[in-house]
Amino acid sequence: MAHSFKPAKTALLLAVLFSATAMPMRPVHAQSTAEKTLPVVEVAAPMANGIINLDTPTTTGSRLGLTPRETPATVTVVDRATIDARGAEDTQEILKAIPGVSAHNAPGNITVRYRGFSGGSVSQLYNGIDLNYTIANRAVDSWIYDRVEAIGGPSSFLYGAGAVGGSINYITKIAQRDDVSEGRVRVGSEGLKEASIGLNRRIAGDDSGTPSHYLRIDLNDHHSDGWTDGTKTHSTQLATSLLSDFGRGLTHTLAYEYQNDVVDRPYWGTPLLNPIAGTLRIDDGTRFKNYNSADGIYKQRVQWLRSITDLQVNDALHFKNTFYAYDAQRDYRNVETYRFNADNTQVIRSGAFLQRHDQRVVGNRIDGTYKGELAGLRSDWSFGLDMALNKQTRFPKSLPGTVSTVDPYNFVTENFFDIPGMTPGFVPSMTNKVTTTALYVENRTSLLPALNLVTALRHERIDLNLINRGVVNASNPASYERSYNPTTGRVGLVWDITPNAMTYIQYATAADPPAGSLATASFANAITNTELTTGRQLEIGAKLDFWQGKGSATAAIYSIARKNIATQDPNNSALTILVGEQSAKGIDLSVGLQATRQWAVRADFTYVNAQYEDFRQGGVSLAGNTPTNIPATVANLWTSYAITPALQASMGIRRVGKVYADAANTMVWPSYTLLDLGLAYQINRNVSLIGRIRNATDKIYAANTSVSSTAASAYLGAPRTADVTLRITF
């Protein structure tokens, strides 16, 4: 069973790790084949954990193709080199490279927290497309992604409602005009076995001017036993695309992605010891226990299709049309909630859920950019129309009562359909249709050679249509429709103090649902929540290079207010009214150093004071309290050192501040620090070996806490694990 870090397995992995591992991130220059010595590796370019790249255009902070330095906002780019350097296994681990972000991957409650907000208040995009459903953001293996970009704070003006805390954009690898051949094999503790391959080739055309076609395929297959009893995971990711270059500025990319994720007996949490107050604790003897049904399951199958047409009309005018379709089916068959009895001698298991979600999203977005002049001043424009239909049908079947009470350490759980009253089969309850039509425009005008005004405006019409597929009664009508019409925007000034230093001030707005997601809205909250929330942010920041280009840094201070959130009606606790307010005030600091040709350092620190300004729960005002599971501080330090030209060591330290498990702020999970270690060895120009130890101190920590009348548990992070990776380019 997948318990603690087993001694034999540890010894084997450490022997490999510290005797012949790792991959320096510098180019390799091999000697001639006649020589029989090791290749010479030259540390030439900045290392992935070094200076911050502020001068590569991004697609997430602006549609104008601005670089992070030119954007009046905090923009973070986690490129492929950084993903590889830190060994980020999946999208959740990539998020650790975004300052201030914390996240967890519990199967039914996937959440990202950014600038004091979480859930539907942080947009997670896939190639610029928002699925508007947090559970759809299940962690995906990092192999198929080229980079992840993020913008902090309100950004609905770019991607639509649902981005008060920020937007995170996962960008998939697609076909390029070059040849790429790479592979990876990884093995590790807890039965980890993984194989990946990536190929990019020109399959037709030549340099004579005839149309050229480039094909890319990236495939990943992952097996692991998990670190809790009985948990097994098998996931497969495929990303393939065809780039067709027809000449005269016209190109087309057809991209398809397939993701299949199956988790047997998924882990849902570890019960907290009573009394549930003050500093929360678990019994160390239950750390690796899994209280789910013996045949519990989580499955997700996702398909993406994108058709992207680019037309460069001339040097000034460019059009891009993106048609996209998304299809997903998610299945759950689990007992999900656990708590200790009063004297901590038994674990009470409850919450049997049989669920299916069918979600489909179809949309089309047409973008244009124009580089011109306005009143004699250089003025660049971006504009577009976005239309999408998000349709989801849910098939819930639940038994909220107690399933069984078991010994915390020695127990056997039932097969799911042996639970009295639970039978196979899916019956639909409701279909949610969310239709969005949006117009947007963005502009950058050079008021002075060193002063730019950046503005943006987006207007949306969001139509929500609920269709009852169950029993019709007074509280659950046959159907219900509602429309929302948010207008959001940004205005910012960017001052280039020197060619290597800038400062900015920005005011931005956002909108999102008052509670939950429109994709899962019930009749009760759709009827009650008559308006979207409004978000406002004022941000002041600076970005600069220093130390003769060996260092870079960014800094920002911000204040965000989210109003119109759903809060309990003081006159009727069974109802909510839209008068609540939540705020977040904070600072973001990041610095990167290429101290020497061998040594690179990247560090960041964020502080946020998140609190309710006006919020009620259980008839009690919670004004001044911190929302649950929001850490005030998050800090990261990554450093890499080339011990020899072929041997490189790396270390990552992550510190996450304490969080409150309840809105009353009476329960606390303490702060924690994680240590990751890596060692890489470049065998030759094409082959490298990388070893890593994650959570090297075997710290017990909670990625999320959940306390209610039926559940009191912590979703723990993984214990110490180790893995070895063989990477090949050919």
Side-chain angles (χ1 to χ4, degrees):
M1 291 192 295
H3 279 185
S4 60
F5 199 68
K6 301 174 181 61
K9 194 178 292 185
T10 304
L12 174 62
L13 289 168
L14 288 178
V16 176
L17 174 62
F18 288 109
S19 63
T21 45
M23 180 179 68
M25 289 146 207
R26 303 308 83 231
V28 180
H29 300 286
Q31 294 173 318
S32 68
T33 56
E35 296 179 276
K36 303 300 183 182
T37 59
L38 288 174
V40 175
V41 181
E42 180 183 339
V43 180
M47 299 162 75
N49 288 324
I51 58 176
I52 303 169
N53 187 343
L54 298 175
D55 297 309
T56 298
T58 71
T59 59
T60 303
S62 167
R63 297 188 190 277
L64 290 167
L66 303 182
T67 66
R69 195 190 303 273
E70 296 169 327
T71 306
T74 300
V75 177
T76 303
V77 180
V78 188
D79 58 19
R80 187 69 227 180
T82 302
I83 294 170
D84 290 337
R86 301 188 182 184
E89 297 177 280
D90 56 34
T91 49
Q92 285 260 323
E93 288 203 350
I94 296 174
L95 294 179
K96 295 177 182 178
I98 302 172
V101 168
S102 63
H104 70 88
N105 197 36
N109 186 26
I110 299 148
T111 299
V112 171
R113 309 175 190 104
Y114 198 7
R115 287 198 168 180
F117 296 89
S118 63
S121 295
V122 178
S123 287
Q124 295 193 66
L125 314 162
Y126 296 86
N127 301 295
I129 301 164
D130 194 347
L131 299 174
N132 290 298
Y133 187 38
T134 57
I135 291 179
N137 300 316
R138 175 80 173 170
V140 180
D141 193 280
S142 63
W143 180 259
I144 67 171
Y145 291 103
D146 177 67
R147 64 192 185 279
V148 175
E149 300 177 351
I151 177 173
S155 43
S156 296
F157 57 87
L158 287 170
Y159 302 105
V164 173
S167 293
I168 298 169
N169 191 12
Y170 306 97
I171 300 173
T172 311
K173 297 173 182 176
I174 58 173
Q176 303 293 326
R177 296 174 180 84
D178 55 12
D179 287 346
V180 173
S181 302
E182 56 185 346
R184 182 182 73 185
V185 177
R186 190 161 65 99
V187 296
S189 52
E190 312 303 353
L192 171 63
K193 299 181 290 291
E194 183 179 277
S196 309
I197 190 168
L199 297 171
N200 193 109
R201 290 288 186 274
R202 179 156 66 178
I203 59 172
D206 52 38
D207 296 328
S208 64
T210 60
S212 297
H213 304 277
Y214 303 83
L215 177 67
R216 181 170 188 124
I217 299 175
D218 291 281
L219 178 64
N220 167 268
D221 192 68
H222 173 107
H223 292 261
S224 66
D225 292 338
W227 56 271
T228 53
D229 292 345
T231 303
K232 294 182 182 296
T233 298
H234 178 207
S235 63
T236 302
Q237 288 76 223
L238 169 69
T240 183
S241 55
L242 176 67
L243 168 63
S244 298
D245 190 344
F246 298 107
R248 297 183 179 273
L250 178 63
T251 66
H252 179 264
T253 301
L254 182 65
Y256 171 78
E257 293 174 41
Y258 172 82
Q259 302 164 17
N260 189 64
D261 188 9
V262 179
V263 184
D264 293 326
R265 205 179 182 203
Y267 165 69
W268 289 83
T270 300
L272 296 165
L273 286 169
N274 288 306
I276 308 296
T279 301
L280 301 176
R281 303 164 297 133
I282 68 160
D283 182 336
D284 288 357
T286 66
R287 182 183 184 187
F288 301 99
K289 299 300 182 183
N290 186 344
Y291 298 95
N292 199 355
S293 292
D295 62 345
I297 200 165
Y298 166 82
K299 296 194 297 185
Q300 177 172 272
R301 187 264 306 140
V302 169
Q303 296 183 89
W304 279 99
L305 181 67
R306 290 179 293 138
S307 173
I308 308 163
T309 304
D310 272 282
L311 177 60
Q312 187 72 49
V313 179
N314 52 43
D315 291 341
L317 184 61
H318 172 260
F319 288 104
K320 179 179 180 180
N321 189 85
T322 303
F323 169 81
Y324 55 90
Y326 168 89
D327 178 85
Q329 180 176 286
R330 292 174 284 272
D331 286 335
Y332 302 83
R333 186 180 70 214
N334 304 281
V335 174
E336 300 179 4
T337 57
Y338 325 114
R339 59 186 173 90
F340 271 110
N341 63 354
D343 61 0
N344 297 320
T345 59
Q346 300 283 307
V347 171
I348 302 168
R349 305 169 58 249
S350 62
F353 288 92
L354 178 66
Q355 299 266 4
R356 169 168 287 180
H357 300 160
D358 280 339
Q359 184 181 11
R360 292 174 177 82
V361 180
V362 178
N364 193 83
R365 182 173 64 224
I366 182 167
D367 299 297
T369 57
Y370 179 73
K371 298 179 180 180
E373 291 187 351
L374 181 66
L377 303 174
R378 177 183 171 182
S379 188
D380 298 338
W381 295 86
S382 173
F383 49 88
L385 170 66
D386 198 349
M387 298 175 289
L389 171 63
N390 189 334
K391 178 181 178 182
Q392 180 162 224
T393 300
R394 286 165 288 153
F395 303 76
K397 185 182 293 185
S398 64
L399 297 174
T402 298
V403 173
S404 69
T405 300
V406 299
D407 181 279
Y409 318 107
N410 300 296
F411 59 90
V412 176
T413 59
E414 72 293 316
N415 287 329
F416 185 79
F417 291 116
D418 289 340
I419 299 172
M422 186 58 72
T423 56
F426 296 101
V427 178
S429 66
M430 182 181 294
T431 296
N432 291 41
K433 293 182 179 179
V434 183
T435 305
T436 303
T437 303
L439 289 167
Y440 49 87
V441 63
E442 187 178 3
N443 174 260
R444 181 178 71 160
T445 298
S446 296
L447 304 179
L448 296 169
L451 184 66
N452 289 280
L453 175 66
V454 179
T455 56
L457 192 68
R458 180 185 181 102
H459 179 74
E460 298 180 84
R461 179 181 172 89
I462 304 171
D463 295 320
L464 173 64
N465 183 8
L466 306 182
I467 303 170
N468 187 356
R469 299 191 179 278
V471 177
V472 176
N473 53 41
S475 58
N476 294 286
S479 63
Y480 180 79
E481 295 183 2
R482 175 175 294 286
S483 295
Y484 306 90
N485 296 278
T487 299
T488 55
R490 168 173 74 183
V491 58
L493 278 173
V494 178
W495 178 31
D496 296 323
I497 303 171
T498 72
N500 298 317
M502 62 82 77
T503 186
Y504 66 89
I505 184 170
Q506 175 227 107
Y507 177 78
T509 64
D512 65 351
S517 165
L518 295 181
T520 56
S522 66
F523 286 109
N525 61 35
I527 293 171
T528 304
N529 299 335
T530 55
E531 299 295 336
L532 299 180
T533 69
T534 59
R536 303 283 188 272
Q537 174 181 263
L538 178 65
E539 178 176 339
I540 301 173
K543 305 168 188 179
L544 70 153
D545 299 326
F546 60 93
W547 197 10
Q548 298 178 330
K550 295 179 180 179
S552 56
T554 67
I557 59 173
Y558 61 86
S559 176
I560 305 174
R562 180 186 180 223
K563 297 182 179 181
N564 207 39
I565 64 175
T567 183
Q568 193 175 69
D569 187 339
N571 299 315
N572 185 344
S573 61
L575 301 177
T576 59
I577 55 177
L578 303 183
V579 298
E581 181 177 350
Q582 182 179 342
S583 69
K585 299 177 176 65
I587 60 173
D588 292 353
L589 301 172
S590 297
V591 62
L593 296 173
Q594 186 70 51
T596 68
R597 293 169 66 87
Q598 295 79 29
W599 182 30
V601 181
R602 180 80 64 87
D604 58 74
F605 172 81
T606 62
Y607 168 80
V608 60
N609 177 20
Q611 65 179 29
Y612 294 117
E613 302 291 340
D614 184 1
F615 192 73
R616 300 182 66 85
Q617 191 177 81
V620 177
S621 172
L622 300 178
N625 287 12
T626 300
T628 59
N629 289 299
I630 299 293
T633 58
V634 178
N636 296 288
L637 171 66
W638 278 92
T639 184
S640 303
Y641 187 79
I643 301 169
T644 71
L647 184 66
Q648 180 174 291
S650 63
M651 178 181 69
I653 301 174
R654 178 173 174 83
R655 174 80 173 180
V656 179
K658 70 177 183 180
V659 298
Y660 293 106
D662 64 328
N665 291 178
T666 61
M667 309 172 194
V668 175
W669 187 274
S671 59
Y672 60 88
T673 301
L674 303 178
L675 173 65
D676 293 344
L677 300 172
L679 196 62
Y681 184 68
Q682 192 83 38
I683 298 172
N684 58 37
R685 175 185 288 272
N686 303 111
V687 182
S688 55
L689 194 64
I690 309 104
R692 299 189 186 278
I693 300 178
R694 307 168 197 273
N695 189 7
T697 62
D698 202 25
K699 181 69 175 179
I700 298 175
Y701 68 100
N704 191 62
T705 56
S706 176
V707 178
S708 67
S709 59
T710 59
S713 62
Y715 186 80
L716 301 180
R720 177 170 51 218
T721 59
D723 59 77
V724 176
T725 301
L726 181 70
R727 290 183 61 98
I728 303 172
T729 59
F730 52 94

